[in-house]
Amino acid sequence: MAQMNLLQAINNALITAMRADNKVLVLGEDVGHFGGVFRATSHLQEEFGRERCFNTPLVEQGIIGFANGLAAQGCKPVAEIQFGDYIFPAFDQIINETAKFRYRSGGQFDCGGLTIRTPYGGGIAGGHYHSQSPEAFFAHIPGIKVVIPRNPYQAKGLLLSAIREPDPVIFFEPKRLYRAAVGDVPESDYELPLGHADIVQTGSDITLVAWGAQVEIIQEAAQRALGDGISCEVIDLQSILPWDIATVSTSVVKTGRLLINHEAPLTAGFAAEVAAEIQSQCFLSLEAPIMRVCGLDTPYPLVHEKEYMPDALKTYEAIIATMNY
Amino acid sequence: MAQMNLLQAINNALITAMRADNKVLVLGEDVGHFGGVFRATSHLQEEFGRERCFNTPLVEQGIIGFANGLAAQGCKPVAEIQFGDYIFPAFDQIINETAKFRYRSGGQFDCGGLTIRTPYGGGIAGGHYHSQSPEAFFAHIPGIKVVIPRNPYQAKGLLLSAIREPDPVIFFEPKRLYRAAVGDVPESDYELPLGHADIVQTGSDITLVAWGAQVEIIQEAAQRALGDGISCEVIDLQSILPWDIATVSTSVVKTGRLLINHEAPLTAGFAAEVAAEIQSQCFLSLEAPIMRVCGLDTPYPLVHEKEYMPDALKTYEAIIATMNY
Amino acid sequence: MTNINERNHIAHINTTQEVNIISDGLVAIPMLQLLDTNGEYLSHNPSPLTQESALKILYSMHYTRLLDERMVSAQRQGRISFYLACTGEEAAVVASTAALEPVDMIMSQYREQGALVYRGYTTAQFMNQLFSNKLDPNKGRQMPIHYGDKTLNFMTVSSPLGTQIPQAAGYAFGQKYTGEAALTICYFGEGAASEGDFHAGLNMAAVLNCPTIFFCRNNGYAISTPTAEQFAGDGIASRGIGYGVKTIRVDGNDAMAVFAATQAARKIALAESCPVLIEAMTYRLAAHSTSDDPSGYRSADEEVKWQEKDPIARLQKYCIAQSWLDLEHLDAYITQSRAEILAEVKRAEKEDYASIDDLFADVYAVLPKHLDTQKQSLQAHIKKYPEAYPKTARELL
Amino acid sequence: MTNINERNHIAHINTTQEVNIISDGLVAIPMLQLLDTNGEYLSHNPSPLTQESALKILYSMHYTRLLDERMVSAQRQGRISFYLACTGEEAAVVASTAALEPVDMIMSQYREQGALVYRGYTTAQFMNQLFSNKLDPNKGRQMPIHYGDKTLNFMTVSSPLGTQIPQAAGYAFGQKYTGEAALTICYFGEGAASEGDFHAGLNMAAVLNCPTIFFCRNNGYAISTPTAEQFAGDGIASRGIGYGVKTIRVDGNDAMAVFAATQAARKIALAESCPVLIEAMTYRLAAHSTSDDPSGYRSADEEVKWQEKDPIARLQKYCIAQSWLDLEHLDAYITQSRAEILAEVKRAEKEDYASIDDLFADVYAVLPKHLDTQKQSLQAHIKKYPEAYPKTARELL
Ligand SMILES: Cc1ncc(C[n+]2csc(CCOP(=O)(O)OP(=O)(O)O)c2C)c(N)n1
Ligand SMILES: Cc1ncc(C[n+]2csc(CCOP(=O)(O)OP(=O)(O)O)c2C)c(N)n1
Ligand SMILES: [Mg+2]
Ligand SMILES: [Mg+2]
């Protein structure tokens, strides 16, 4: 065990994966000598050489197109997109290529070896273009998996699984926790299963669901609600595609109430999917409408970041409203 | 009034808009002399010249980038993307540019004049890449409007509104109805409001919601359900961003039941948003879980198109299941 | 961190005091031609083609032409839903593939069935794909002409244009990295070369030293769009210079020249670990696809001029002049191929379709729970209404 | 339908019988230089700059340098969250803008504050944007350095790289279409030129005859990535040829040459309705931004060499030699500007923030219902917990 922050855990996962399998290659803008703008790929080029960790030209559609080809050839590329906000030029390569490669060829060819890592989310005064949470777009793409860790331990275990998964994975990293989230991380090689939710805290009155950086927000809200005698069950989805419907619905059958929190804009965000599915599965158990506490339907702002964000206070208010329904 | 099919109505709307305002320009792949692969832009170049209706090189990100600039300059470009499946290379220009142009500049500059037209949807044996229904991706982008007509009359009126709207609009055209949908269309200039749902048929037992080509599917299911004495209220959303929450919730308060149908894959499709919002607004009125009858969570198939599609039979079954809940 | 050397990104550049406008008065890049339209050999060097290789190319071109003719008819008869012919471009495709090794990966656009023919894809295989039956390797999931064969190193076709271009760079990088003595060839049209992915792919291949042959079929049109509305430079070849990519322009209707150019390209690409761009000047004699009617956008006179440059006739004349060709044998081959195609059409259209399992398989390596749920409910539904789902009902009863 | 003329897309191409590999042994495109590093004028032609224009450029460069120094310090002091300096590239930006007319639209990348300085953006305006206060025209919605001013024809900066390149083509098309005697200049870095949007923009501008100046600042780096890992060709200029775009390479540290090149480009672009590409060879003396530390990826020796090519010193030496410059006046200007910047920093940081209305306005032209609902519930929430939302609570109480 070692104390690591989220970035160090990711760096450690990359080193672990690269040592274990020489088909694992790391590519992206500034990931080489410099180690990436957040330093997630520090020292990789030193240890593994330019062949296995290299800078690409500044072209996201090319990074993912190139990585798709590399994966189809049998390598395991880990492609970094510098910010989640800049993944969109690669959207076509992801939705029309990565996700459909295996299906369209009847399993002859696939991009299963591909992992795309990208920092996402707000809270760093980044404005429109260094704050977006685009996970919902990817949750609507059959053929890929979407994973989001909330702490260093998860980050290492989930990233190792993602890299070794036979399916392509998009791995969103909550950038405001890069240095803020610190915890014990095994130095050994370990994997955490994809598609499984993590029950962070058990409770009996209401189920709170989030992923990534928002998990600590709902925990904070749960803490505050405890002061009112409300017992919250806190669930971190960890994967949003596929997501762990069973864990959430079991919880909601027990608590009778559900609240989902995400930073992305409310409309057509992933909370909608969770709400739609759970109201269907748990209809007779629900004692109040499922609540969504989400980002506003505006571009991500700058000075009004606090107002935009689905923070612990807003979550707490929604818990109270749900309890009093 | 004239009998027109959907394509003719769109062509007629473009002519009407171009005659009325010389800032309206049409651009896209093959839209010039040839009139587009579906012939939606037939004769425009003849009447308005190459300056106002022109072919672009084969580059969707460029078409929308160029059109964004043209709109910012004050023109009203109507950009065609040949198939909805090929809109993804332009996704970045749409989400990061079109949608945020006005907001990020504090209203100094905007792309309000832009309309993007694109055929979408299945039922034409088009396989993965000529069948997708990507509307949900766009519904999660604050700053744009998303409109989908179901018949020639709507198509003309909504397209004229879209072109004249001060906000950028994505206009999805149900291609399997291009020639199949025929109806009376006024030859005059008229507009239909965006953001309003159309109650196609009133009923008392269950509300059925769809848009575009699936409206006729839910109508067919409603017809079949009538045989069992079930009275369906059929609503065509027409716009999915912003969407007409009030009309749907009023209906559900009345009927107590809701079913949403779309061709796109179920997970994180737009039905999720409708279900999430309506369960919240109509919680105490709901007598059964909200049902989603949608495409499968697979890429769009070819020989199994019938099996994939949320057809009238599947919809009917879901109506019965909801009624018997 | 390792030491950082001093860099100077302008060291190679001289200065001038004149405002030189580059691109004014540039001379077009010439194209390699070895056979004239009469099949005369124009060079003083020994011909790059042996009898055996010339005949294999010629026969493959004939087969491709025949296949296209038959399948365009089959589409007209409503037997298949869609087809896309290579007519007029057989030399560009077949002769370039002929200059490769079987280990080389082919990433095509969609008009490169001649490459498959050359590599030995059988008539039965073509038909299984075109009829989307249960023997289609794509399991009936893609439209006709979306061929793919792992054993022949032919990547499954994907409709979105240009996406295969950066993929080819990545694939080739992987080949080099894993020590294969093989490269990747990537075919695309001059229309697709307008896509952003073209820019990405060529630049990345150049910077990352990928052994990739980028083979552009400049056939004059992208559906209805003529090259004058596609680009303003000297074709696609002139772009190679901008990327620092070695470039060859070739007469795409001259199989001999295409072979020579591709052979040279392969050698350089592998020896120097670098990409090579080939622009083959040719013409799409066919309609864009069976959904298209070119009379709406181009003149018949123009087509006639290019029919006179027919690539098959050109190589055939050469082979005849060399006394390499047994015309009777060729005739017999054509007759037999036609019969084989007809027979395979009849067989393939009678085959069953892929099973319902195949609707759900391959989305992921292992069927996830939510898809399994959807599958089970679909199966139950079909069992209830078998007559509405004839393709899959039978297997469930 | 109108008549269709016969086309021949290979009419301009000659044939050859040699496998010519283009791009082997190409000579680099030379760069226009009019002043050497000592400010000596190198040409025999009359100088393109008058005293007035030279001094306006020189003063604007000085102001830009000063602003950058002060704001980098302000960021270090925690007064602003982010800054991005133009240091070393002032000539490329200021002198090119100087060669335009005020009606010309400027679309910048983010390192072109010198263009705004030249056009008369005030210190107060800079500070309002940098401090995201309520006078910021962006209403506090974007990070510092995302300037924009409609009256100065300076399009608001957008962070995603390259997106402005096809937009500039479209904007210029609109200018031409609506009969404005104006063009659009589009600035970008050599890194951004790798994006697919660059390819789209240049090709479309060439094909659609858009009066656009594409101005590339090739400053050696894209954050940490040196040009050798960005492209393999002869810089960005060599790409112009591929698009059939007239191209000029210029010494970006020579204000005189940049002015002359841009003047020529503007003339051609408007007279011939066509795009012109300018590649300015320069160097990012600054860190990429205040979030960056270049010592991790480049050597100090290298930086020193480029400090010796300082664009400001070069033009200043020339002006002094011409007896055009009153050094005392310049000193006073610098002193006064520094004081003005300090005063405006102090003012701007005390201004209030934009109101909560501005969080919701401008998403659409008219606030739609669902956003109004969100706004009302946010307002109610803030009223309940004012201490948690100090920026907006006051206005609601
Ligand atoms: C991204 C994308 N945009 C548009 C299309 C529709 N489309 C199919 S083929 C074609 C023309 C391609 O022309 P070219 O690349 O020159 O190839 P050719 O057909 O001439 O062989 C177009 C526009 C597509 N398949 N993919
Ligand atoms: C689409 C996109 N990808 C990545 C980034 C992150 N990023 C910001 S600046 C930069 C480097 C740009 O280099 P260059 O274009 O050469 O301009 P310079 O900074 O040298 O002026 C990168 C990678 C971005 N802003 N947008
Ligand atoms: Mg073509
Ligand atoms: Mg740079």
Side-chain angles (χ1 to χ4, degrees):
Chain A
M1 285 287 185
Q3 282 270 108
M4 294 186 196
N5 66 27
L6 193 65
L7 271 174
Q8 289 163 332
I10 287 162
N11 187 252
N12 187 266
L14 292 171
I15 291 174
T16 306
M18 291 176 88
R19 284 190 187 149
D21 183 352
N22 68 6
K23 295 237 167 169
V24 179
L25 308 180
V26 168
L27 70 160
E29 293 159 14
D30 300 296
V31 302
H33 176 80
F34 187 53
V37 295
F38 289 104
R39 325 309 299 267
T41 60
S42 280
H43 306 297
L44 300 184
Q45 192 175 81
E46 247 170 288
E47 177 168 348
F48 302 103
R50 266 173 190 279
E51 241 187 337
R52 294 188 59 196
C53 174
F54 51 91
N55 286 344
T56 62
L58 209 171
V59 54
E60 291 77 10
Q61 64 193 106
I63 294 171
I64 304 304
F66 190 95
N68 278 336
L70 203 46
Q73 195 273 339
C75 287
K76 295 185 180 160
V78 183
E80 176 176 305
I81 298 293
Q82 206 163 76
F83 283 88
D85 312 70
Y86 304 136
I87 201 168
F88 302 116
F91 202 65
D92 184 55
Q93 281 284 351
I94 296 169
I95 183 168
N96 273 336
E97 297 291 320
T98 310
K100 299 180 174 61
F101 224 93
R102 190 197 305 272
Y103 196 77
R104 73 180 180 212
S105 69
Q108 289 193 88
F109 301 97
D110 67 77
C111 289
L114 173 64
T115 304
I116 302 174
R117 296 180 37 247
T118 191
Y120 85 96
I124 60 148
H128 301 0
Y129 297 116
H130 299 84
S131 307
Q132 292 174 65
S133 294
E135 71 274 12
F137 296 113
F138 298 92
H140 190 46
I141 305 179
I144 59 171
K145 298 191 171 181
V146 181
V147 177
I148 312 174
R150 76 170 186 280
N151 66 31
Y153 170 74
Q154 274 186 323
K156 179 173 175 182
L158 291 171
L159 183 53
L160 280 166
S161 297
I163 292 171
R164 292 160 180 172
E165 258 281 320
D167 293 309
V169 178
I170 309 207
F171 195 82
F172 285 106
E173 301 168 1
K175 69 169 108 57
R176 77 166 183 267
L177 300 185
Y178 265 163
R179 293 192 172 81
V182 179
D184 277 338
V185 176
E187 273 154 304
S188 62
D189 191 332
Y190 65 97
E191 295 175 20
L192 294 174
L194 307 188
H196 285 260
D198 180 24
I199 302 175
V200 178
Q201 171 186 316
T202 56
S204 53
D205 294 328
I206 180 168
T207 305
L208 311 183
V209 167
W211 47 89
Q214 289 303 95
V215 176
E216 63 174 30
I217 302 296
I218 58 172
Q219 285 182 277
E220 195 187 324
Q223 196 54 40
R224 194 182 257 262
L226 197 58
D228 299 276
I230 302 166
S231 159
C232 301
E233 181 138 314
V234 175
I235 297 181
D236 172 5
L237 282 190
Q238 296 189 103
S239 284
I240 68 160
L241 185 68
W243 64 287
D244 190 345
I245 299 173
T247 295
V248 178
S249 62
T250 303
S251 173
V252 175
V253 166
K254 177 176 73 178
T255 62
R257 295 178 188 85
L258 174 62
L259 179 154
I260 311 130
N261 175 304
H262 62 60
E263 284 181 50
L266 174 84
T267 297
F270 192 69
E273 176 59 33
V274 177
E277 187 62 31
I278 295 301
Q279 66 83 30
S280 158
Q281 302 231 354
C282 308
F283 188 74
L284 297 175
S285 310
L286 280 172
E287 290 169 31
I290 299 170
M291 276 278 184
R292 295 185 286 166
V293 181
C294 300
L296 301 172
D297 281 322
T298 67
Y300 198 98
L302 186 78
V303 300
H304 293 134
E305 188 161 24
K306 237 192 138 354
E307 283 75 7
Y308 170 93
M309 284 290 257
D311 61 12
L313 264 182
K314 293 181 189 172
T315 309
Y316 166 73
E317 281 292 301
I319 293 171
I320 299 297
T322 304
M323 293 308 300
N324 294 340
Y325 188 79
Chain B
M1 284 287 186
Q3 281 271 109
M4 295 186 195
N5 66 26
L6 193 65
L7 271 174
Q8 290 163 331
I10 287 162
N11 187 253
N12 187 265
L14 291 171
I15 291 173
T16 306
M18 291 175 89
R19 285 191 186 148
D21 182 353
N22 68 6
K23 294 238 169 167
V24 178
L25 308 179
V26 167
L27 69 161
E29 293 160 14
D30 301 295
V31 302
H33 176 80
F34 188 54
V37 295
F38 290 103
R39 324 310 297 267
T41 59
S42 281
H43 305 298
L44 300 185
Q45 192 175 83
E46 248 171 288
E47 176 169 348
F48 303 103
R50 266 174 190 277
E51 241 188 336
R52 293 189 60 195
C53 174
F54 51 92
N55 285 344
T56 62
L58 208 171
V59 53
E60 292 76 11
Q61 64 193 107
I63 294 171
I64 304 304
F66 189 95
N68 277 337
L70 203 46
Q73 194 272 338
C75 288
K76 294 185 180 160
V78 183
E80 176 176 306
I81 297 293
Q82 204 162 76
F83 283 88
D85 312 71
Y86 304 136
I87 201 168
F88 302 116
F91 202 64
D92 184 54
Q93 281 285 350
I94 295 169
I95 184 169
N96 273 337
E97 297 292 319
T98 310
K100 299 179 174 61
F101 224 94
R102 190 196 305 272
Y103 196 77
R104 74 180 178 212
S105 69
Q108 289 193 88
F109 302 97
D110 67 77
C111 290
L114 174 63
T115 304
I116 302 174
R117 294 179 39 245
T118 191
Y120 85 96
I124 60 149
H128 302 359
Y129 297 117
H130 299 84
S131 307
Q132 292 174 66
S133 294
E135 71 274 12
F137 296 113
F138 298 92
H140 190 46
I141 306 180
I144 59 170
K145 297 191 170 181
V146 181
V147 177
I148 312 174
R150 76 171 185 277
N151 67 30
Y153 170 75
Q154 274 187 323
K156 180 173 173 183
L158 290 171
L159 183 53
L160 279 167
S161 297
I163 293 171
R164 292 159 180 173
E165 258 281 320
D167 292 309
V169 177
I170 309 207
F171 194 82
F172 285 105
E173 301 168 2
K175 69 169 106 59
R176 77 166 184 266
L177 300 185
Y178 265 162
R179 294 193 171 80
V182 179
D184 278 337
V185 176
E187 274 155 304
S188 61
D189 191 331
Y190 66 96
E191 295 176 20
L192 294 174
L194 308 187
H196 285 259
D198 180 23
I199 302 175
V200 178
Q201 172 186 317
T202 56
S204 54
D205 294 328
I206 180 169
T207 304
L208 310 183
V209 167
W211 47 90
Q214 290 303 96
V215 176
E216 63 175 30
I217 302 297
I218 58 171
Q219 284 182 279
E220 195 187 324
Q223 197 53 39
R224 194 181 257 261
L226 196 59
D228 299 276
I230 301 166
S231 160
C232 301
E233 179 138 313
V234 174
I235 298 180
D236 173 5
L237 283 190
Q238 297 189 105
S239 285
I240 68 159
L241 185 67
W243 64 288
D244 189 345
I245 300 172
T247 295
V248 178
S249 62
T250 305
S251 172
V252 174
V253 166
K254 176 177 75 178
T255 62
R257 294 178 189 84
L258 173 63
L259 180 154
I260 311 131
N261 175 305
H262 62 59
E263 285 182 49
L266 174 82
T267 298
F270 193 69
E273 176 59 35
V274 177
E277 187 63 31
I278 296 301
Q279 67 83 29
S280 159
Q281 302 231 354
C282 308
F283 188 75
L284 296 175
S285 311
L286 280 171
E287 289 170 32
I290 300 171
M291 274 278 185
R292 294 184 287 165
V293 180
C294 300
L296 301 171
D297 282 322
T298 68
Y300 197 99
L302 186 78
V303 300
H304 293 133
E305 190 161 22
K306 237 190 136 358
E307 283 76 6
Y308 170 93
M309 284 290 258
D311 61 12
L313 264 181
K314 293 181 189 171
T315 309
Y316 166 74
E317 282 291 302
I319 293 171
I320 299 297
T322 304
M323 292 308 299
N324 294 340
Y325 188 80
Chain C
M1 214 145 12
T2 46
N3 251 358
I4 310 159
N5 291 330
E6 212 179 304
R7 301 185 184 98
N8 185 352
H9 65 298
I10 68 160
H12 65 298
I13 300 172
N14 291 322
T15 61
T16 170
Q17 280 67 54
E18 302 304 317
V19 182
N20 293 317
I21 316 281
I22 320 295
S23 106
D24 276 351
L26 282 178
V27 179
I29 297 168
M31 68 179 185
L32 176 69
Q33 190 180 71
L34 294 177
L35 296 181
D36 68 14
T37 47
N38 294 320
E40 285 310 338
Y41 188 62
L42 300 171
S43 167
H44 301 294
N45 300 324
S47 145
L49 287 176
T50 61
Q51 176 176 8
E52 195 193 336
S53 51
L55 289 181
K56 185 163 179 201
I57 292 170
L58 183 67
Y59 273 63
S60 298
M61 293 201 290
H62 271 294
Y63 180 93
T64 305
R65 180 75 54 96
L66 196 64
L67 178 72
D68 287 352
E69 283 166 10
R70 301 301 347 137
M71 299 323 294
V72 167
S73 305
Q75 194 277 338
R76 288 217 187 95
Q77 294 162 7
R79 296 170 100 162
I80 55 174
S81 60
F82 179 82
Y83 193 73
L84 194 145
C86 181
T87 309
E89 303 178 54
E90 293 92 345
V93 174
V94 174
S96 53
T97 293
L100 304 175
E101 294 297 323
V103 288
D104 294 330
M105 173 52 70
I106 296 176
M107 294 200 180
S108 75
Q109 180 157 308
Y110 48 49
R111 207 182 290 286
E112 292 84 2
Q113 53 268 45
L116 275 169
V117 171
Y118 186 90
R119 286 206 170 168
Y121 207 58
T122 66
T123 304
Q125 288 179 300
F126 274 112
M127 294 312 141
N128 292 334
Q129 203 291 316
L130 292 169
F131 284 88
S132 313
N133 65 29
K134 73 169 194 287
L135 301 172
D136 167 16
N138 301 341
K139 305 179 185 169
R141 294 168 185 157
Q142 288 211 77
M143 284 175 69
I145 71 104
H146 288 67
Y147 314 110
D149 192 299
K150 186 150 183 136
T151 60
L152 294 181
N153 287 313
F154 189 96
M155 178 64 73
T156 303
V157 173
S158 165
S159 318
L161 291 168
T163 50
Q164 80 279 20
I165 306 177
Q167 289 172 13
Y171 202 100
F173 187 95
Q175 288 170 312
K176 187 179 86 166
Y177 176 72
T178 55
E180 293 181 34
L183 52 65
T184 299
I185 190 167
C186 179
Y187 291 98
F188 53 93
E190 87 294 341
S194 293
E195 291 283 3
D197 275 355
F198 166 88
H199 184 62
L202 269 87
N203 189 40
M204 291 182 80
V207 173
L208 297 168
N209 308 311
C210 306
T212 325
I213 299 178
F214 294 106
F215 193 101
C216 179
R217 297 178 289 94
N218 182 341
N219 63 5
Y221 290 90
I223 309 185
S224 78
T225 305
T227 58
E229 295 175 35
Q230 193 67 248
F231 52 72
D234 176 26
I236 307 305
S238 63
R239 294 188 194 156
I241 301 165
Y243 300 113
V245 169
K246 293 174 201 289
T247 299
I248 307 172
R249 173 174 271 165
V250 66
D251 181 342
N253 286 23
D254 174 0
M256 183 89 80
V258 170
F259 185 86
T262 312
Q263 206 174 36
R266 183 174 198 275
K267 209 169 139 190
I268 297 166
L270 283 177
E272 302 179 22
S273 271
C274 70
V276 179
L277 170 64
I278 298 177
E279 182 184 25
M281 309 309 298
T282 181
Y283 191 82
R284 198 197 73 209
L285 277 177
H288 169 68
S289 73
T290 50
S291 315
D292 177 48
D293 172 11
S295 70
Y297 54 81
R298 71 187 188 189
S299 78
D301 289 352
E302 185 185 306
E303 293 182 11
V304 167
K305 294 238 167 87
W306 281 91
Q307 272 151 5
E308 287 160 10
K309 297 191 198 179
D310 186 354
I312 301 184
R314 197 184 305 192
L315 184 62
Q316 186 153 326
K317 284 180 197 156
Y318 174 79
C319 289
I320 290 170
Q322 305 292 307
S323 309
W324 284 354
L325 184 63
D326 174 349
L327 272 172
E328 272 175 37
H329 184 271
L330 176 64
D331 275 353
Y333 171 77
I334 290 177
T335 309
Q336 179 228 311
S337 298
R338 184 176 290 123
E340 186 178 301
I341 292 170
L342 283 178
E344 287 296 336
V345 163
K346 287 192 185 137
R347 177 197 57 79
E349 66 189 357
K350 279 194 218 99
E351 294 284 2
D352 220 344
Y353 290 107
S355 98
I356 202 165
D357 291 341
D358 289 327
L359 173 54
F360 293 93
D362 299 330
V363 182
Y364 295 95
V366 177
L367 192 70
K369 195 139 181 259
H370 68 289
L371 266 180
D372 192 41
T373 308
Q374 293 181 13
K375 181 172 162 180
Q376 286 176 27
S377 87
L378 176 63
Q379 283 173 327
H381 180 75
I382 295 175
K383 274 193 196 142
K384 188 157 180 191
Y385 296 101
E387 64 302 334
Y389 307 91
K391 281 185 190 153
T392 42
R394 207 171 349 150
E395 59 172 294
L396 295 171
L397 299 177
Chain D
M1 216 146 10
T2 47
N3 251 358
I4 309 158
N5 290 331
E6 211 179 305
R7 300 186 184 98
N8 184 352
H9 65 298
I10 68 161
H12 66 297
I13 300 172
N14 292 321
T15 61
T16 170
Q17 281 66 55
E18 302 305 317
V19 182
N20 294 318
I21 317 280
I22 321 295
S23 106
D24 275 354
L26 281 179
V27 179
I29 297 168
M31 68 180 184
L32 175 68
Q33 190 180 71
L34 295 176
L35 295 180
D36 69 13
T37 46
N38 294 319
E40 284 312 336
Y41 188 63
L42 300 170
S43 167
H44 301 293
N45 300 324
S47 146
L49 286 177
T50 62
Q51 177 177 6
E52 194 193 338
S53 51
L55 289 182
K56 185 162 178 201
I57 292 170
L58 183 67
Y59 274 64
S60 298
M61 294 201 290
H62 271 295
Y63 181 93
T64 305
R65 179 75 54 97
L66 197 62
L67 177 72
D68 287 351
E69 282 167 9
R70 301 298 352 136
M71 300 323 294
V72 168
S73 303
Q75 193 278 336
R76 288 217 187 94
Q77 293 163 7
R79 296 169 99 161
I80 55 174
S81 60
F82 179 82
Y83 192 74
L84 195 145
C86 181
T87 309
E89 303 177 53
E90 294 91 346
V93 174
V94 174
S96 54
T97 292
L100 305 176
E101 294 298 322
V103 289
D104 295 330
M105 173 53 71
I106 296 176
M107 295 200 180
S108 75
Q109 179 156 308
Y110 48 50
R111 207 181 290 286
E112 291 85 2
Q113 53 268 43
L116 275 169
V117 172
Y118 186 88
R119 287 209 168 164
Y121 205 59
T122 65
T123 304
Q125 288 178 301
F126 274 112
M127 294 311 140
N128 292 334
Q129 202 291 316
L130 292 168
F131 284 88
S132 313
N133 65 30
K134 72 168 194 287
L135 301 172
D136 168 16
N138 301 341
K139 304 179 186 170
R141 293 168 185 156
Q142 287 211 78
M143 283 174 70
I145 72 103
H146 288 68
Y147 315 109
D149 193 299
K150 189 153 181 132
T151 59
L152 294 180
N153 287 312
F154 189 96
M155 177 65 74
T156 303
V157 173
S158 164
S159 319
L161 290 168
T163 50
Q164 81 280 19
I165 306 177
Q167 289 171 14
Y171 202 100
F173 187 96
Q175 289 171 312
K176 187 179 85 167
Y177 176 73
T178 55
E180 293 182 33
L183 52 66
T184 300
I185 190 166
C186 179
Y187 291 97
F188 52 93
E190 86 294 341
S194 292
E195 290 284 2
D197 275 356
F198 166 88
H199 184 62
L202 269 87
N203 189 39
M204 291 182 80
V207 174
L208 297 167
N209 309 311
C210 306
T212 324
I213 299 178
F214 294 105
F215 193 101
C216 179
R217 296 178 290 94
N218 182 341
N219 63 6
Y221 290 89
I223 308 185
S224 78
T225 305
T227 58
E229 295 175 35
Q230 193 66 248
F231 52 73
D234 176 25
I236 307 305
S238 61
R239 293 187 195 157
I241 301 166
Y243 299 113
V245 169
K246 292 174 202 295
T247 299
I248 307 171
R249 174 174 273 163
V250 65
D251 181 343
N253 287 22
D254 174 359
M256 182 88 83
V258 170
F259 185 86
T262 312
Q263 207 174 35
R266 184 172 197 275
K267 210 169 140 191
I268 297 167
L270 283 176
E272 303 179 22
S273 272
C274 70
V276 179
L277 170 64
I278 297 176
E279 182 183 26
M281 309 309 297
T282 181
Y283 190 83
R284 198 197 74 209
L285 276 177
H288 169 69
S289 73
T290 49
S291 314
D292 177 49
D293 172 12
S295 70
Y297 54 83
R298 73 187 187 190
S299 77
D301 289 352
E302 184 184 308
E303 293 182 11
V304 168
K305 295 238 166 86
W306 280 92
Q307 273 151 5
E308 288 160 9
K309 298 191 197 181
D310 186 353
I312 302 185
R314 198 184 304 194
L315 183 63
Q316 185 154 325
K317 283 179 197 156
Y318 174 79
C319 290
I320 290 171
Q322 304 294 307
S323 308
W324 284 354
L325 183 63
D326 173 348
L327 272 172
E328 270 176 38
H329 184 269
L330 176 63
D331 275 353
Y333 170 77
I334 290 177
T335 308
Q336 179 228 311
S337 298
R338 184 176 291 123
E340 185 179 300
I341 292 169
L342 284 178
E344 287 296 336
V345 163
K346 286 191 186 136
R347 177 198 57 79
E349 68 189 355
K350 277 192 220 102
E351 294 284 2
D352 221 345
Y353 291 107
S355 98
I356 203 165
D357 291 341
D358 289 326
L359 173 54
F360 294 92
D362 299 330
V363 182
Y364 295 96
V366 177
L367 192 70
K369 196 140 179 263
H370 68 289
L371 266 181
D372 191 40
T373 308
Q374 294 181 12
K375 181 171 160 181
Q376 285 175 27
S377 89
L378 176 62
Q379 284 172 327
H381 180 75
I382 295 175
K383 275 194 197 139
K384 188 157 180 191
Y385 297 102
E387 64 303 335
Y389 307 91
K391 283 185 189 154
T392 43
R394 211 173 346 152
E395 59 173 293
L396 295 172
L397 299 179

